[in-house]
Amino acid sequence: MQQNDVPDFSELLRAARSTAIHLEMRDSYAVGDEASGFERFLRTGEADLDPDSAFWQGWTPLVREAIGRGIVMRRARIVSEPVTDYIRYEHALTPVNVAVGERVRWLPRREASDIALPGNDFWLIDDRMVQFNFFTGNGDWASPGHVCTEDPAVVRLCSTAFEAVWERGIDHEKYTV
């Protein structure tokens, strides 16, 4: 896998020609840009559902632009049940992802036992490039935070894993936490 010259994610998404898919397999994230929103959610049960708010400005314009170019964006989340507080928060935020054009499905971890999964969350762009995301044990970004590869065997593993999860997954609108 190559680690040098890892493009910024926005560059990867802007370079997509047809698809961008994301597989999430962790039950907890602690990335700094979500800390205050997560703390608010824990206190009040409220999540920021305004796609035009400052919280979403790094994401929703990027997704809208990609969707506007015809990119199909799918996100699948493998989650342990009962879900963690973070997954409840993520579920509460997901209507924004859906509103701006992402398709989202959830798969209980017990339903993924027979799927060969990569060891890390990833984005797969156009069935040609995989960006693996790395996190520390407490859920923050590791250093390096990303590695990209175009290795056909890795791309095939990620594509096959994602499609198996997607096929079994439950649409966001039907999945409850």
Side-chain angles (χ1 to χ4, degrees), residues 28-56:
S28 178
Y29 294 85
V31 291
D33 61 343
E34 294 181 348
S36 65
F38 182 47
E39 290 169 10
R40 176 180 168 219
F41 177 78
L42 291 175
R43 280 191 329 275
T44 68
E46 296 173 5
D48 184 346
L49 297 179
D50 177 2
D52 298 315
S53 73
F55 174 79
W56 288 101

PDB file of all heavy atoms in Angstrom, residues 28-56:
ATOM      1  N   SER A  28     -17.289   3.284  17.946  1.00  0.00           N
ATOM      2  CA  SER A  28     -17.000   4.527  18.648  1.00  0.00           C
ATOM      3  C   SER A  28     -15.975   5.335  17.880  1.00  0.00           C
ATOM      4  O   SER A  28     -14.999   4.797  17.361  1.00  0.00           O
ATOM      5  CB  SER A  28     -16.450   4.212  20.049  1.00  0.00           C
ATOM      6  OG  SER A  28     -16.133   5.399  20.715  1.00  0.00           O
ATOM      7  N   TYR A  29     -16.224   6.601  17.781  1.00  0.00           N
ATOM      8  CA  TYR A  29     -15.278   7.546  17.208  1.00  0.00           C
ATOM      9  C   TYR A  29     -15.142   8.671  18.212  1.00  0.00           C
ATOM     10  O   TYR A  29     -16.084   9.000  18.914  1.00  0.00           O
ATOM     11  CB  TYR A  29     -15.785   8.136  15.886  1.00  0.00           C
ATOM     12  CG  TYR A  29     -15.891   7.137  14.766  1.00  0.00           C
ATOM     13  CD1 TYR A  29     -17.016   6.345  14.621  1.00  0.00           C
ATOM     14  CD2 TYR A  29     -14.865   6.990  13.846  1.00  0.00           C
ATOM     15  CE1 TYR A  29     -17.131   5.431  13.589  1.00  0.00           C
ATOM     16  CE2 TYR A  29     -14.972   6.080  12.809  1.00  0.00           C
ATOM     17  CZ  TYR A  29     -16.099   5.302  12.692  1.00  0.00           C
ATOM     18  OH  TYR A  29     -16.216   4.398  11.670  1.00  0.00           O
ATOM     19  N   ALA A  30     -14.002   9.271  18.261  1.00  0.00           N
ATOM     20  CA  ALA A  30     -13.802  10.398  19.174  1.00  0.00           C
ATOM     21  C   ALA A  30     -13.082  11.525  18.452  1.00  0.00           C
ATOM     22  O   ALA A  30     -12.296  12.237  19.042  1.00  0.00           O
ATOM     23  CB  ALA A  30     -12.997   9.943  20.396  1.00  0.00           C
ATOM     24  N   VAL A  31     -13.314  11.642  17.160  1.00  0.00           N
ATOM     25  CA  VAL A  31     -12.615  12.659  16.392  1.00  0.00           C
ATOM     26  C   VAL A  31     -13.031  14.044  16.883  1.00  0.00           C
ATOM     27  O   VAL A  31     -14.199  14.297  17.156  1.00  0.00           O
ATOM     28  CB  VAL A  31     -12.821  12.495  14.877  1.00  0.00           C
ATOM     29  CG1 VAL A  31     -12.111  11.237  14.389  1.00  0.00           C
ATOM     30  CG2 VAL A  31     -14.271  12.427  14.495  1.00  0.00           C
ATOM     31  N   GLY A  32     -12.037  14.899  17.026  1.00  0.00           N
ATOM     32  CA  GLY A  32     -12.216  16.196  17.668  1.00  0.00           C
ATOM     33  C   GLY A  32     -13.325  17.058  17.112  1.00  0.00           C
ATOM     34  O   GLY A  32     -14.017  17.743  17.866  1.00  0.00           O
ATOM     35  N   ASP A  33     -13.539  17.020  15.796  1.00  0.00           N
ATOM     36  CA  ASP A  33     -14.553  17.910  15.220  1.00  0.00           C
ATOM     37  C   ASP A  33     -15.976  17.496  15.566  1.00  0.00           C
ATOM     38  O   ASP A  33     -16.916  18.228  15.315  1.00  0.00           O
ATOM     39  CB  ASP A  33     -14.364  18.046  13.712  1.00  0.00           C
ATOM     40  CG  ASP A  33     -14.491  16.735  12.952  1.00  0.00           C
ATOM     41  OD1 ASP A  33     -14.406  15.655  13.576  1.00  0.00           O
ATOM     42  OD2 ASP A  33     -14.659  16.795  11.726  1.00  0.00           O
ATOM     43  N   GLU A  34     -16.151  16.335  16.166  1.00  0.00           N
ATOM     44  CA  GLU A  34     -17.482  15.891  16.570  1.00  0.00           C
ATOM     45  C   GLU A  34     -17.703  15.991  18.074  1.00  0.00           C
ATOM     46  O   GLU A  34     -18.815  15.757  18.545  1.00  0.00           O
ATOM     47  CB  GLU A  34     -17.700  14.438  16.143  1.00  0.00           C
ATOM     48  CG  GLU A  34     -17.752  14.223  14.659  1.00  0.00           C
ATOM     49  CD  GLU A  34     -18.002  12.775  14.300  1.00  0.00           C
ATOM     50  OE1 GLU A  34     -17.909  11.891  15.175  1.00  0.00           O
ATOM     51  OE2 GLU A  34     -18.308  12.518  13.138  1.00  0.00           O
ATOM     52  N   ALA A  35     -16.680  16.309  18.830  1.00  0.00           N
ATOM     53  CA  ALA A  35     -16.744  16.237  20.295  1.00  0.00           C
ATOM     54  C   ALA A  35     -17.866  17.082  20.885  1.00  0.00           C
ATOM     55  O   ALA A  35     -18.644  16.595  21.705  1.00  0.00           O
ATOM     56  CB  ALA A  35     -15.407  16.619  20.912  1.00  0.00           C
ATOM     57  N   SER A  36     -17.974  18.337  20.468  1.00  0.00           N
ATOM     58  CA  SER A  36     -18.987  19.192  21.096  1.00  0.00           C
ATOM     59  C   SER A  36     -20.401  18.748  20.723  1.00  0.00           C
ATOM     60  O   SER A  36     -21.297  18.764  21.563  1.00  0.00           O
ATOM     61  CB  SER A  36     -18.761  20.664  20.741  1.00  0.00           C
ATOM     62  OG  SER A  36     -18.936  20.872  19.358  1.00  0.00           O
ATOM     63  N   GLY A  37     -20.603  18.334  19.478  1.00  0.00           N
ATOM     64  CA  GLY A  37     -21.920  17.844  19.075  1.00  0.00           C
ATOM     65  C   GLY A  37     -22.302  16.570  19.798  1.00  0.00           C
ATOM     66  O   GLY A  37     -23.461  16.392  20.197  1.00  0.00           O
ATOM     67  N   PHE A  38     -21.334  15.689  19.984  1.00  0.00           N
ATOM     68  CA  PHE A  38     -21.587  14.440  20.693  1.00  0.00           C
ATOM     69  C   PHE A  38     -21.907  14.720  22.156  1.00  0.00           C
ATOM     70  O   PHE A  38     -22.859  14.159  22.710  1.00  0.00           O
ATOM     71  CB  PHE A  38     -20.390  13.501  20.562  1.00  0.00           C
ATOM     72  CG  PHE A  38     -20.569  12.160  21.209  1.00  0.00           C
ATOM     73  CD1 PHE A  38     -21.725  11.419  21.027  1.00  0.00           C
ATOM     74  CD2 PHE A  38     -19.566  11.634  21.999  1.00  0.00           C
ATOM     75  CE1 PHE A  38     -21.883  10.173  21.620  1.00  0.00           C
ATOM     76  CE2 PHE A  38     -19.717  10.385  22.604  1.00  0.00           C
ATOM     77  CZ  PHE A  38     -20.877   9.653  22.409  1.00  0.00           C
ATOM     78  N   GLU A  39     -21.160  15.613  22.778  1.00  0.00           N
ATOM     79  CA  GLU A  39     -21.432  15.977  24.179  1.00  0.00           C
ATOM     80  C   GLU A  39     -22.833  16.572  24.319  1.00  0.00           C
ATOM     81  O   GLU A  39     -23.565  16.260  25.254  1.00  0.00           O
ATOM     82  CB  GLU A  39     -20.371  16.943  24.690  1.00  0.00           C
ATOM     83  CG  GLU A  39     -19.009  16.292  24.877  1.00  0.00           C
ATOM     84  CD  GLU A  39     -17.903  17.303  25.116  1.00  0.00           C
ATOM     85  OE1 GLU A  39     -18.188  18.502  25.333  1.00  0.00           O
ATOM     86  OE2 GLU A  39     -16.731  16.880  25.091  1.00  0.00           O
ATOM     87  N   ARG A  40     -23.211  17.421  23.372  1.00  0.00           N
ATOM     88  CA  ARG A  40     -24.556  18.017  23.388  1.00  0.00           C
ATOM     89  C   ARG A  40     -25.614  16.917  23.259  1.00  0.00           C
ATOM     90  O   ARG A  40     -26.635  16.931  23.962  1.00  0.00           O
ATOM     91  CB  ARG A  40     -24.698  19.026  22.255  1.00  0.00           C
ATOM     92  CG  ARG A  40     -26.095  19.609  22.145  1.00  0.00           C
ATOM     93  CD  ARG A  40     -26.184  20.604  21.001  1.00  0.00           C
ATOM     94  NE  ARG A  40     -27.569  20.908  20.745  1.00  0.00           N
ATOM     95  CZ  ARG A  40     -28.092  21.079  19.547  1.00  0.00           C
ATOM     96  NH1 ARG A  40     -27.347  20.990  18.472  1.00  0.00           N
ATOM     97  NH2 ARG A  40     -29.359  21.355  19.388  1.00  0.00           N
ATOM     98  N   PHE A  41     -25.383  15.975  22.353  1.00  0.00           N
ATOM     99  CA  PHE A  41     -26.316  14.874  22.166  1.00  0.00           C
ATOM    100  C   PHE A  41     -26.475  14.076  23.459  1.00  0.00           C
ATOM    101  O   PHE A  41     -27.594  13.719  23.848  1.00  0.00           O
ATOM    102  CB  PHE A  41     -25.850  13.964  21.032  1.00  0.00           C
ATOM    103  CG  PHE A  41     -26.728  12.771  20.821  1.00  0.00           C
ATOM    104  CD1 PHE A  41     -27.941  12.888  20.156  1.00  0.00           C
ATOM    105  CD2 PHE A  41     -26.348  11.516  21.279  1.00  0.00           C
ATOM    106  CE1 PHE A  41     -28.758  11.797  19.962  1.00  0.00           C
ATOM    107  CE2 PHE A  41     -27.156  10.413  21.095  1.00  0.00           C
ATOM    108  CZ  PHE A  41     -28.362  10.549  20.430  1.00  0.00           C
ATOM    109  N   LEU A  42     -25.367  13.796  24.137  1.00  0.00           N
ATOM    110  CA  LEU A  42     -25.432  13.046  25.391  1.00  0.00           C
ATOM    111  C   LEU A  42     -26.225  13.797  26.456  1.00  0.00           C
ATOM    112  O   LEU A  42     -26.957  13.185  27.237  1.00  0.00           O
ATOM    113  CB  LEU A  42     -24.030  12.731  25.904  1.00  0.00           C
ATOM    114  CG  LEU A  42     -23.232  11.720  25.079  1.00  0.00           C
ATOM    115  CD1 LEU A  42     -21.813  11.594  25.627  1.00  0.00           C
ATOM    116  CD2 LEU A  42     -23.928  10.363  25.051  1.00  0.00           C
ATOM    117  N   ARG A  43     -26.094  15.127  26.473  1.00  0.00           N
ATOM    118  CA  ARG A  43     -26.810  15.944  27.463  1.00  0.00           C
ATOM    119  C   ARG A  43     -28.280  16.110  27.119  1.00  0.00           C
ATOM    120  O   ARG A  43     -29.139  16.082  27.990  1.00  0.00           O
ATOM    121  CB  ARG A  43     -26.176  17.341  27.573  1.00  0.00           C
ATOM    122  CG  ARG A  43     -24.951  17.443  28.410  1.00  0.00           C
ATOM    123  CD  ARG A  43     -24.531  18.898  28.685  1.00  0.00           C
ATOM    124  NE  ARG A  43     -24.841  19.857  27.639  1.00  0.00           N
ATOM    125  CZ  ARG A  43     -24.075  20.100  26.561  1.00  0.00           C
ATOM    126  NH1 ARG A  43     -22.955  19.462  26.387  1.00  0.00           N
ATOM    127  NH2 ARG A  43     -24.434  21.011  25.677  1.00  0.00           N
ATOM    128  N   THR A  44     -28.588  16.333  25.840  1.00  0.00           N
ATOM    129  CA  THR A  44     -29.934  16.756  25.455  1.00  0.00           C
ATOM    130  C   THR A  44     -30.692  15.771  24.568  1.00  0.00           C
ATOM    131  O   THR A  44     -31.904  15.905  24.405  1.00  0.00           O
ATOM    132  CB  THR A  44     -29.872  18.097  24.690  1.00  0.00           C
ATOM    133  OG1 THR A  44     -29.220  17.862  23.431  1.00  0.00           O
ATOM    134  CG2 THR A  44     -29.136  19.160  25.486  1.00  0.00           C
ATOM    135  N   GLY A  45     -29.970  14.854  23.927  1.00  0.00           N
ATOM    136  CA  GLY A  45     -30.603  13.962  22.960  1.00  0.00           C
ATOM    137  C   GLY A  45     -30.804  14.610  21.603  1.00  0.00           C
ATOM    138  O   GLY A  45     -31.393  14.016  20.706  1.00  0.00           O
ATOM    139  N   GLU A  46     -30.301  15.836  21.432  1.00  0.00           N
ATOM    140  CA  GLU A  46     -30.480  16.569  20.178  1.00  0.00           C
ATOM    141  C   GLU A  46     -29.227  16.479  19.321  1.00  0.00           C
ATOM    142  O   GLU A  46     -28.109  16.524  19.822  1.00  0.00           O
ATOM    143  CB  GLU A  46     -30.774  18.038  20.477  1.00  0.00           C
ATOM    144  CG  GLU A  46     -32.068  18.242  21.227  1.00  0.00           C
ATOM    145  CD  GLU A  46     -32.262  19.683  21.662  1.00  0.00           C
ATOM    146  OE1 GLU A  46     -31.435  20.554  21.305  1.00  0.00           O
ATOM    147  OE2 GLU A  46     -33.235  19.946  22.382  1.00  0.00           O
ATOM    148  N   ALA A  47     -29.445  16.385  18.002  1.00  0.00           N
ATOM    149  CA  ALA A  47     -28.356  16.354  17.023  1.00  0.00           C
ATOM    150  C   ALA A  47     -28.584  17.472  16.011  1.00  0.00           C
ATOM    151  O   ALA A  47     -29.725  17.863  15.759  1.00  0.00           O
ATOM    152  CB  ALA A  47     -28.321  15.008  16.326  1.00  0.00           C
ATOM    153  N   ASP A  48     -27.509  17.974  15.443  1.00  0.00           N
ATOM    154  CA  ASP A  48     -27.585  19.051  14.455  1.00  0.00           C
ATOM    155  C   ASP A  48     -28.072  18.488  13.125  1.00  0.00           C
ATOM    156  O   ASP A  48     -27.322  17.822  12.410  1.00  0.00           O
ATOM    157  CB  ASP A  48     -26.211  19.700  14.287  1.00  0.00           C
ATOM    158  CG  ASP A  48     -26.224  20.886  13.341  1.00  0.00           C
ATOM    159  OD1 ASP A  48     -27.210  21.068  12.600  1.00  0.00           O
ATOM    160  OD2 ASP A  48     -25.232  21.638  13.341  1.00  0.00           O
ATOM    161  N   LEU A  49     -29.329  18.749  12.788  1.00  0.00           N
ATOM    162  CA  LEU A  49     -29.922  18.233  11.564  1.00  0.00           C
ATOM    163  C   LEU A  49     -30.075  19.286  10.477  1.00  0.00           C
ATOM    164  O   LEU A  49     -30.805  19.084   9.503  1.00  0.00           O
ATOM    165  CB  LEU A  49     -31.281  17.598  11.878  1.00  0.00           C
ATOM    166  CG  LEU A  49     -31.212  16.378  12.809  1.00  0.00           C
ATOM    167  CD1 LEU A  49     -32.605  15.841  13.086  1.00  0.00           C
ATOM    168  CD2 LEU A  49     -30.304  15.304  12.242  1.00  0.00           C
ATOM    169  N   ASP A  50     -29.358  20.392  10.611  1.00  0.00           N
ATOM    170  CA  ASP A  50     -29.372  21.443   9.592  1.00  0.00           C
ATOM    171  C   ASP A  50     -28.188  21.233   8.662  1.00  0.00           C
ATOM    172  O   ASP A  50     -27.047  21.507   9.032  1.00  0.00           O
ATOM    173  CB  ASP A  50     -29.294  22.818  10.254  1.00  0.00           C
ATOM    174  CG  ASP A  50     -29.238  23.947   9.238  1.00  0.00           C
ATOM    175  OD1 ASP A  50     -29.294  23.688   8.016  1.00  0.00           O
ATOM    176  OD2 ASP A  50     -29.123  25.105   9.681  1.00  0.00           O
ATOM    177  N   PRO A  51     -28.415  20.732   7.445  1.00  0.00           N
ATOM    178  CA  PRO A  51     -27.304  20.444   6.540  1.00  0.00           C
ATOM    179  C   PRO A  51     -26.487  21.680   6.155  1.00  0.00           C
ATOM    180  O   PRO A  51     -25.380  21.548   5.644  1.00  0.00           O
ATOM    181  CB  PRO A  51     -27.968  19.816   5.314  1.00  0.00           C
ATOM    182  CG  PRO A  51     -29.406  20.177   5.410  1.00  0.00           C
ATOM    183  CD  PRO A  51     -29.713  20.433   6.857  1.00  0.00           C
ATOM    184  N   ASP A  52     -27.017  22.854   6.432  1.00  0.00           N
ATOM    185  CA  ASP A  52     -26.304  24.081   6.103  1.00  0.00           C
ATOM    186  C   ASP A  52     -25.635  24.718   7.312  1.00  0.00           C
ATOM    187  O   ASP A  52     -25.073  25.812   7.209  1.00  0.00           O
ATOM    188  CB  ASP A  52     -27.266  25.078   5.442  1.00  0.00           C
ATOM    189  CG  ASP A  52     -27.813  24.520   4.137  1.00  0.00           C
ATOM    190  OD1 ASP A  52     -27.017  23.976   3.344  1.00  0.00           O
ATOM    191  OD2 ASP A  52     -29.039  24.591   3.927  1.00  0.00           O
ATOM    192  N   SER A  53     -25.666  24.052   8.456  1.00  0.00           N
ATOM    193  CA  SER A  53     -25.033  24.598   9.664  1.00  0.00           C
ATOM    194  C   SER A  53     -23.515  24.511   9.553  1.00  0.00           C
ATOM    195  O   SER A  53     -22.967  23.787   8.711  1.00  0.00           O
ATOM    196  CB  SER A  53     -25.501  23.843  10.909  1.00  0.00           C
ATOM    197  OG  SER A  53     -24.914  22.548  10.940  1.00  0.00           O
ATOM    198  N   ALA A  54     -22.841  25.222  10.430  1.00  0.00           N
ATOM    199  CA  ALA A  54     -21.377  25.215  10.446  1.00  0.00           C
ATOM    200  C   ALA A  54     -20.834  23.805  10.669  1.00  0.00           C
ATOM    201  O   ALA A  54     -19.813  23.427  10.089  1.00  0.00           O
ATOM    202  CB  ALA A  54     -20.871  26.161  11.532  1.00  0.00           C
ATOM    203  N   PHE A  55     -21.515  23.005  11.488  1.00  0.00           N
ATOM    204  CA  PHE A  55     -21.069  21.651  11.763  1.00  0.00           C
ATOM    205  C   PHE A  55     -20.920  20.830  10.488  1.00  0.00           C
ATOM    206  O   PHE A  55     -19.994  20.039  10.338  1.00  0.00           O
ATOM    207  CB  PHE A  55     -22.055  20.960  12.718  1.00  0.00           C
ATOM    208  CG  PHE A  55     -21.769  19.503  12.954  1.00  0.00           C
ATOM    209  CD1 PHE A  55     -20.769  19.115  13.832  1.00  0.00           C
ATOM    210  CD2 PHE A  55     -22.490  18.513  12.296  1.00  0.00           C
ATOM    211  CE1 PHE A  55     -20.488  17.755  14.055  1.00  0.00           C
ATOM    212  CE2 PHE A  55     -22.227  17.164  12.512  1.00  0.00           C
ATOM    213  CZ  PHE A  55     -21.218  16.792  13.396  1.00  0.00           C
ATOM    214  N   TRP A  56     -21.848  20.994   9.547  1.00  0.00           N
ATOM    215  CA  TRP A  56     -21.878  20.180   8.333  1.00  0.00           C
ATOM    216  C   TRP A  56     -21.129  20.785   7.156  1.00  0.00           C
ATOM    217  O   TRP A  56     -21.041  20.155   6.091  1.00  0.00           O
ATOM    218  CB  TRP A  56     -23.334  19.929   7.933  1.00  0.00           C
ATOM    219  CG  TRP A  56     -24.032  18.971   8.831  1.00  0.00           C
ATOM    220  CD1 TRP A  56     -24.910  19.275   9.838  1.00  0.00           C
ATOM    221  CD2 TRP A  56     -23.924  17.552   8.819  1.00  0.00           C
ATOM    222  NE1 TRP A  56     -25.345  18.125  10.450  1.00  0.00           N
ATOM    223  CE2 TRP A  56     -24.754  17.051   9.847  1.00  0.00           C
ATOM    224  CE3 TRP A  56     -23.206  16.640   8.044  1.00  0.00           C
ATOM    225  CZ2 TRP A  56     -24.901  15.681  10.105  1.00  0.00           C
ATOM    226  CZ3 TRP A  56     -23.337  15.285   8.311  1.00  0.00           C
ATOM    227  CH2 TRP A  56     -24.174  14.828   9.325  1.00  0.00           C
TER     228      TRP A  56
END
